[in-house]
Amino acid sequence: MFTIVRDLIRYNIEFAVGLFILLLLIAAVVLSFFSPYPAADIYVVPPDLPPDAEFWLGTTSRGQDTFWQLMIGLRNTLGFGVGVAFLSRILSLVVGLTAGYAGGRTDRVLMAINDSVMVIPQFPILVLFYFVLKDDMNWLMLVLILSALGWAYDARLIRSIAMSLRTRPFTTQSVYSGMSMRKILVEEHLPYVMPVVFATTMNNMIWSIGMEITLSVLGFTDVDTPTMGQMIYWANSHSALISGIWWWVAAPVGAIVILFIGLFLLSMSMNEYIDPRSRLNRMGV
Amino acid sequence: MPTAVLQTPPAPAAAEPVLVVDRLRAYYRTHAFGLDRDIRAVDDISLTVAPGEVYGIAGESSSGKTTLIKTIVGAIRPPLAVVGGSVRFRFGGEIRDIYALTPAELQTIRWRHLSCILQGSMNVLNPVRQIRHSFQDFAFPHMGLKPAAFWQAVRAHLARLDLDPAVLDSYPHQLSGGMRQRTTIALATVCTPEFIVADEPTTALDVIVQRDVLTMLRDIQRRLGSSFLFVTHDMSVHATVSDRVGIVYAGRLVEEAETPTLFRGALHPYTQHLVASLPRIGDTTRRASLPGRPPSLADPPSGCRFHPRCPLAMDVCREKVPALVEAAPRHRVACFAVSGAPS
Amino acid sequence: MSLILDVDHVGKTFVQGGLLSRREVEAVRDVSFSLDAERPEILSVVGESGSGKSTLAAMVLGRLVPTRGRILFEGGDVAAIRSRAGRRAFMARVQPVLQNPFEAFNPLKRVDRYLFATAANFVVGGGRTRAAIEERVDRALVEVGLTLAEVRGRFPHELSGGQLQRTAIARALIPEPRLLVADEPVSMVDASLRMAIVNLFGALRDRLGLSIIYITHDLATAYYISDRILIMRKGEVVERGAARAVLDNPQHPYSIALKQAVLTPDFG
């Protein structure tokens, strides 16, 4: 594992840069726990100060320190992405592996559900959820809803791998060794789909964070948990750009761009790691 | 006896050889993703092939026989690297050193003078285009003919091989495995090359089809007078098509002789075992198997690489590498039990 | 006379294509044979690709359900086994040996996990203690000329094709089955190791009284080791009988062609 990471860093500049950005983000998450101000408190600092030595990223019109808001927002946004990715990966693994291995009627039923989820228009559904749930639409609820929407594509991908694994002779060997289906899926087949799971994790995070930001900016979420989208929402509602408080908007937008670039680079290099031909090309061997 | 039909008298040894491989060494060198090693797939191999001769190379899986032919035809891609030795062909009286050629020169030699028939014929024939396109892409640039004359030559060649010219308008998937392999052979021989390399050309085929394809190969070889380098693990195929056979074990040539000599009087214990263990219909005497396992090329045994499995192993075999020496005219063997231990 | 296996007019039809281009392919057509419980034997099923021999093997193993006819194993219909316990009891009596030993084990896993899993899942009585399981595994490995010490903790790429195939056979022996179904077990094994596997089948028949269905395209090894032979072509049995009698003097034109196509390395 260590040598794989070392060689990926050495031969794959995308991975190195992506990893660097990821480490920066993790540092931000750690830093957020040392914030001098509680996240939701307002007017704790003088409002509308431009960036200077004391307030690195200035302060907002609501009297909050932009830097610490950003750190806490990054933590929540990343946590959101990881939460959705984690839950939806579990769903897609269970559905994909089971459908691919079991085949027949199980496969048809699971894929009917899978395809229905795939064609649901996501954005209108999310807005609908907001209007139905109103105040119950909190951070955790949104994680659950997006997880329930974000597994279907990857379940199909995993199913196709599972279908070919089922025909491999070692699967027959496992069956005649008396192993249960659960044991075969978890111990024999899971290692083969893990690279795909890792790669799709990045794409899934990009998707779910993008969704959260879109909803937040429009105000369709719980406005009390600071996230990247929340920051932009409050900045807009105080007309930050018009009143020249540009740093209030620039900080979250910049952070989002960096976050997306990092995830995209990692996802790309993961894809390359999965395909050994391009990996060898890269190594120049 | 059915096999006798395919046998021809061996080509005269006196003629200038078409191929001279001299002390060739080729290793797989990898140092990435935590690995650092040399795999000595071709280790100090010398051999010659005469005009009109079918030279067979036999060996087990991962004995290095496929690497040997890759190295001989100059298809060397990293991590494979030629570490020493030379490969020289004689085409039209002119000697060509494969490793001294530029890629462009190598390209002009391919197909025209030197062509390959490989196990998976589907790889050569483009699956989404009619077979005529494969002929056009591969053979046309090398024939130097006008289109009309070219197609006439192709049709004549197909007729000579008892192939219906209608295959030109078929897609590869429309043909059976045997037909595909015959078409590949037609493609490889249409430029009448002096030298043809065949790697396990019949291994994936059914028994009856295999026999037809081998007959066709032997027939075309005799008509064109080309030399063949014929690689297969199957000793009964060598018995049927090869004039001379070289036995490769763990990257080294351990014995080489004319085919009848090899089957009647093999000298190396490994060859003796290969011949003796072949089951035959009509013979129920017990066939023994060798103890141990084929060695790893990354970490081969010291001395003679066969010594851990050899019934005749002596102390010297563990320490020194036996040279390939002429034990009888046109019969070379690398074994201390035959040549006597060095003093 | 009691039968271990009774294959009774069995056929298998596969349906290819979709709604509009539906096409039926008859892979096995009206095949019957039986194996006697008192007389363990090696039955070779010989044929080229597309002869239906692998489909037949899959039906005997219960991996495919016949379209027509029945397969009775020790009197019970194989296709009628539905319950988990029934499947398990059947697998304890009928075990497969697969074609490519390098593919037959998960390359990411240690080889011994299949041996231990088989012992833990199928061996009843005598306690399922670690020691009892290891003892059972070692006994099966000794049966094929290996020991647990040689195999323990090894990954597939660390063993030769012959060792892997013998390990696979040892695994199949652990539940003490009555019948082995070996589908091309030596076609991917190197020449110097091949006869060890073939000889092992003979020894298992003689020593353990095991019946073996040996699926192959190689007439020479079928002649060498088997008692009876079925020659299949396009899903049908074209000739059958005592292996040596049939191959010494084949009657059906296809059997004759098949025998003539065998390359004989004879130089007097």
Side-chain angles (χ1 to χ4, degrees), chain A residues 169-191:
Chain A
F170 69 74
T171 305
T172 311
Q173 187 90 286
S174 313
V175 169
Y176 279 84
S177 301
M179 291 184 197
S180 65
M181 173 168 148
R182 194 192 57 80
K183 196 173 164 93
I184 292 174
L185 293 188
V186 173
E187 295 183 15
E188 302 280 328
H189 291 180
L190 188 60

Side-chain angles (χ1 to χ4, degrees), chain A residues 45-52 55-67 69-70 228 231-232 235-236 239-255:
Chain A
V45 292
D48 296 342
L49 292 178
D52 62 16
F55 304 107
W56 292 353
L57 295 175
T59 63
T60 71
S61 304
R62 304 176 79 214
Q64 293 167 314
D65 185 329
T66 315
F67 177 77
Q69 278 287 305
L70 189 72
M228 295 291 94
M231 284 183 78
I232 302 174
N236 270 342
S239 309
L241 276 180
I242 297 165
S243 44
I245 322 290
W246 55 267
W247 51 91
W248 195 2
V249 175
V253 169

Side-chain angles (χ1 to χ4, degrees), chain A residues 217-263:
Chain A
V217 167
L218 298 174
F220 289 148
T221 55
D222 156 33
V223 288
D224 293 326
T225 312
T227 62
M228 295 291 94
Q230 282 316 314
M231 284 183 78
I232 302 174
Y233 170 77
W234 284 114
N236 270 342
S237 66
H238 284 77
S239 309
L241 276 180
I242 297 165
S243 44
I245 322 290
W246 55 267
W247 51 91
W248 195 2
V249 175
V253 169
I256 291 164
V257 169
I258 290 173
L259 169 67
F260 276 19
I261 289 176
L263 287 176

Side-chain angles (χ1 to χ4, degrees), chain A residues 263-282:
Chain A
L263 287 176
F264 174 71
L265 289 177
L266 280 182
S267 150
M268 212 166 81
S269 54
M270 282 287 177
N271 276 329
E272 198 162 313
Y273 176 71
I274 292 168
D275 181 1
R277 277 167 307 174
S278 55
R279 189 182 357 156
L280 289 175
N281 266 339
R282 168 83 59 166

Side-chain angles (χ1 to χ4, degrees), chain B:
Chain B
M1 178 161 320
T3 32
V5 184
L6 300 180
Q7 286 296 323
T8 51
E16 284 282 327
V18 189
L19 169 66
V20 179
V21 177
D22 187 33
R23 312 213 65 167
L24 187 63
R25 284 184 297 145
Y27 299 169
Y28 288 94
R29 306 205 124 152
T30 50
H31 33 258
F33 286 95
L35 290 168
D36 237 337
R37 58 178 185 175
D38 271 0
I39 293 175
R40 303 171 174 206
V42 177
D43 202 0
D44 200 13
I45 286 184
S46 302
L47 57 88
T48 59
V49 179
E53 183 184 39
V54 179
Y55 188 98
I57 292 176
E60 297 181 302
S61 57
S62 67
S63 62
K65 58 188 193 302
T66 298
T67 312
L68 174 61
I69 57 156
K70 271 192 203 162
T71 324
I72 286 175
V73 301
I76 297 153
R77 279 202 205 97
L80 181 63
V82 172
V83 179
S86 66
V87 173
R88 278 192 288 271
F89 284 96
R90 171 188 288 273
F91 291 134
E94 199 180 329
I95 291 179
R96 302 293 196 89
D97 184 337
I98 281 281
Y99 303 130
L101 296 175
T102 64
E105 285 173 318
L106 200 57
Q107 209 53 49
T108 59
I109 284 182
R110 295 252 169 88
W111 296 98
R112 186 74 195 85
H113 299 288
L114 169 67
S115 73
C116 298
I117 303 165
L118 302 173
Q119 187 173 358
S121 58
M122 267 304 237
N123 301 339
V124 182
L125 304 174
N126 187 336
V128 297
R129 303 184 81 195
Q130 288 162 331
I131 280 163
R132 61 163 62 252
H133 294 289
S134 294
F135 274 88
Q136 180 139 20
D137 294 347
F138 292 120
F140 184 69
H142 302 286
M143 302 268 282
L145 292 173
K146 292 240 159 49
F150 169 73
W151 289 114
Q152 203 179 358
V154 168
R155 273 167 217 284
H157 185 67
L158 289 175
R160 203 159 43 177
L161 298 177
D162 288 328
L163 278 169
D164 187 343
V167 296
L168 288 176
D169 299 316
S170 316
Y171 290 92
H173 68 85
Q174 293 175 311
L175 305 177
S176 67
M179 275 301 275
R180 274 205 294 272
Q181 192 60 302
R182 290 157 71 115
T183 310
T184 326
I185 292 168
L187 181 58
T189 51
V190 69
C191 307
T192 61
E194 287 112 305
F195 202 92
I196 296 168
V197 175
D199 183 17
E200 303 273 8
T202 61
T203 300
L205 302 176
D206 276 324
V207 217
I208 294 176
V209 182
Q210 162 170 297
R211 188 171 191 93
D212 290 349
V213 171
L214 287 177
T215 312
M216 170 183 172
L217 267 177
R218 200 61 166 110
D219 185 53
I220 186 90
Q221 184 267 337
R222 224 174 314 165
R223 270 198 244 185
L224 301 180
S226 316
S227 302
F228 259 68
L229 196 59
F230 198 101
V231 179
T232 175
H233 70 282
D234 189 339
M235 288 300 284
S236 21
V237 171
H238 282 303
T240 312
V241 294
S242 303
D243 296 320
R244 263 196 313 155
V245 179
I247 309 282
V248 177
Y249 187 83
R252 297 178 141 270
L253 201 56
V254 294
E255 183 161 11
E256 177 200 80
E258 278 162 16
T259 312
T261 318
L262 199 78
F263 277 86
R264 268 192 234 116
L267 294 172
H268 196 283
Y270 177 63
T271 320
Q272 286 170 346
H273 166 78
L274 282 184
V275 172
S277 72
L278 282 173
R280 292 169 169 84
I281 294 177
D283 180 358
T284 59
T285 49
R286 191 178 160 79
R287 299 287 192 269
S289 68
L290 275 180
R293 56 176 294 187
S296 150
L297 289 168
D299 181 24
S302 63
C304 171
R305 288 175 182 184
F306 186 62
H307 85 254
R309 308 173 75 190
C310 182
L312 311 174
M314 304 172 285
D315 287 340
V316 62
C317 305
R318 274 175 267 280
E319 288 146 23
K320 295 213 167 101
V321 181
L324 191 67
V325 293
E326 195 146 69
R330 294 175 61 71
H331 190 164
R332 295 191 295 163
V333 63
C335 180
F336 289 129
V338 178
S339 62
S343 49

Side-chain angles (χ1 to χ4, degrees), chain C residues 53-83:
Chain C
K53 58 189 196 298
S54 290
T55 308
L56 183 64
M59 286 193 286
V60 171
L61 282 167
R63 312 262 308 152
L64 289 175
V65 178
T67 319
R68 282 171 303 281
R70 288 190 311 168
I71 297 178
L72 300 177
F73 179 77
E74 293 182 329
D77 190 340
V78 174
I81 302 171
R82 288 273 182 271
S83 71

